[in-house]
Amino acid sequence: MLTTEALNGTETRPGSPLPNDDQWTEIIQPRTRLLDLGLREVWRYRDLVMLFVRRDVVSTYKQTILGPIWFFVQPLLTTIMYMVVFNGIAQIPIGDVPALPFYLAGVTIWNYFSQALTSTATVFTANAAIFGKVYFPRLTMPLSIVLSNLVRFAIQLGLFLLVWAYYLLTTDALHPNLFLLLTPALVVLMGLLALGLGMIFSALTTKYRDLAMLLTFGIQLLMYATPVIYPLATVYTRTGLLRWALLANPLNPIVETFRYGFLGNGLFSWAYLGYSVVATLVILAVGTVVFNKVEKSFTDTV
């Protein structure tokens, strides 16, 4: 990218000698290591990342009647629906904790993962026009999506904390413990997991658009395989292949630890949480390799 020549009035013309290396302000070089996320280059474009974050947050509920109130209405309506269907009609046992903070805890942290993954999975196809016109580190786009969803999560976490504080002060049903201090680490894990899976699906959807629709359906199924609407103890009562298939879900210890720390109800295991950390790092590494391979040639297939 030649930019200084235009500013200095010394633009390169046909037949004229090429400028020296120190005259270029931006040198684009191919990435040689597949596991390199290029975070140093992303840091140089941090202002662009913040612009993308602001754009995503502002545009989500722009031209809507309720506007930012949807940040609160959406998880509340979802929680009430779960309370009616799964607690009132299906009568799935949730222990001795009140239904509202139980379901709202699961909905809050699950929404962060599902929204970040869904948005990241279509980053190449949804932004093909801008990717084909101007250069910037491609990772800035999925990273900004994860960060913008972090803003939404912070707002919805505030709603959960209000409900949690109300039940904590008015009832004796909640027993928070020191594991709630793990919440920042759990959120980081959830974000990295969504980023890794999102990069894998974003690379695949450049060739197979059906995967974007399949992902929407798959996330709904994954929610039922995650202890959002039931405690993890319910899975341990199962036997056979279904039990191990459910326990293999790396989201389980993250959601269960989050709920256990705030409500004091559920299961916690350092080993199981460690499994989630390892699985997240493996998925992130695979996502990085796939993303780096596809970003070089995706404009030919999108």
Side-chain angles (χ1 to χ4, degrees):
M1 179 184 296
L2 182 62
T3 56
T4 53
E5 289 76 6
L7 294 174
N8 298 331
T10 58
E11 297 178 356
T12 304
R13 299 179 184 281
S16 62
L18 293 174
N20 298 325
D21 290 343
D22 56 357
Q23 292 181 284
W24 299 88
T25 59
E26 188 76 15
I27 300 176
I28 304 173
Q29 295 177 324
R31 191 172 298 157
T32 56
R33 291 178 298 177
L34 288 177
L35 284 175
D36 184 14
L37 272 173
L39 294 179
R40 181 178 299 177
E41 190 178 20
V42 171
W43 176 252
R44 291 177 50 215
Y45 284 80
R46 57 189 180 279
D47 292 338
L48 182 63
V49 174
M50 291 299 105
L51 282 175
F52 284 145
V53 171
R54 184 179 183 279
R55 180 201 62 176
D56 292 341
V57 173
V58 172
S59 63
T60 300
Y61 298 114
K62 195 173 184 180
Q63 295 182 334
T64 60
I65 296 176
L66 296 181
I69 298 177
W70 279 110
F71 285 122
F72 303 99
V73 173
Q74 191 175 29
L76 273 179
L77 290 179
T78 305
T79 301
I80 293 172
M81 184 188 70
Y82 289 168
M83 289 171 62
V84 173
V85 176
F86 299 110
N87 188 247
I89 299 176
Q91 296 186 344
I92 297 176
I94 59 172
D96 299 328
V97 296
L100 181 57
F102 177 87
Y103 287 109
L104 188 57
V107 168
T108 300
I109 195 164
W110 170 258
N111 278 351
Y112 174 53
F113 171 78
S114 64
Q115 292 172 357
L117 175 56
T118 305
S119 304
T120 308
T122 57
V123 68
F124 277 134
T125 54
N127 300 280
I130 190 173
F131 281 160
K133 293 179 180 177
V134 62
Y135 172 78
F136 56 88
R138 303 314 188 211
L139 184 64
T140 56
M141 195 66 80
L143 196 59
S144 65
I145 292 173
V146 173
L147 293 177
S148 62
N149 280 284
L150 191 61
V151 175
R152 297 189 186 94
F153 170 76
I155 296 173
Q156 295 180 359
L157 180 64
L159 172 66
F160 166 71
L161 290 178
L162 287 177
V163 174
W164 173 75
Y166 170 78
Y167 279 92
L168 186 65
L169 296 175
T170 59
T171 69
D172 192 30
L174 304 184
H175 305 285
N177 49 63
L178 290 178
F179 289 104
L180 64 83
L181 298 177
L182 291 175
T183 299
L186 299 176
V187 175
V188 171
L189 271 180
M190 196 69 100
L192 292 178
L193 192 55
L195 180 63
L197 289 173
M199 288 194 295
I200 294 174
F201 276 97
S202 66
L204 296 177
T205 51
T206 57
K207 286 188 176 180
Y208 311 104
R209 302 292 182 89
D210 294 351
L211 284 176
M213 291 175 278
L214 184 64
L215 178 64
T216 304
F217 178 68
I219 285 182
Q220 294 177 0
L221 290 181
L222 184 60
M223 191 202 73
Y224 293 109
T226 306
V228 175
I229 57 173
Y230 55 83
L232 187 60
T234 307
V235 177
Y236 282 94
T237 61
R238 301 285 181 179
T239 58
L241 184 61
L242 177 62
R243 177 176 185 268
W244 294 109
L246 293 174
L247 291 178
N249 181 3
L251 291 169
N252 285 349
I254 300 176
V255 175
E256 188 71 5
T257 302
F258 178 79
R259 183 179 281 148
Y260 178 71
F262 280 96
L263 308 184
N265 179 275
L267 302 174
F268 175 77
S269 166
W270 283 110
Y272 199 25
L273 188 59
Y275 159 75
S276 181
V277 173
V278 173
T280 299
L281 294 178
V282 170
I283 292 173
L284 184 63
V286 174
T288 303
V289 171
V290 175
F291 190 86
N292 286 341
K293 286 182 69 68
V294 171
E295 72 167 348
K296 300 174 183 176
S297 59
F298 80 96
T299 52
D300 298 330
T301 55
V302 171

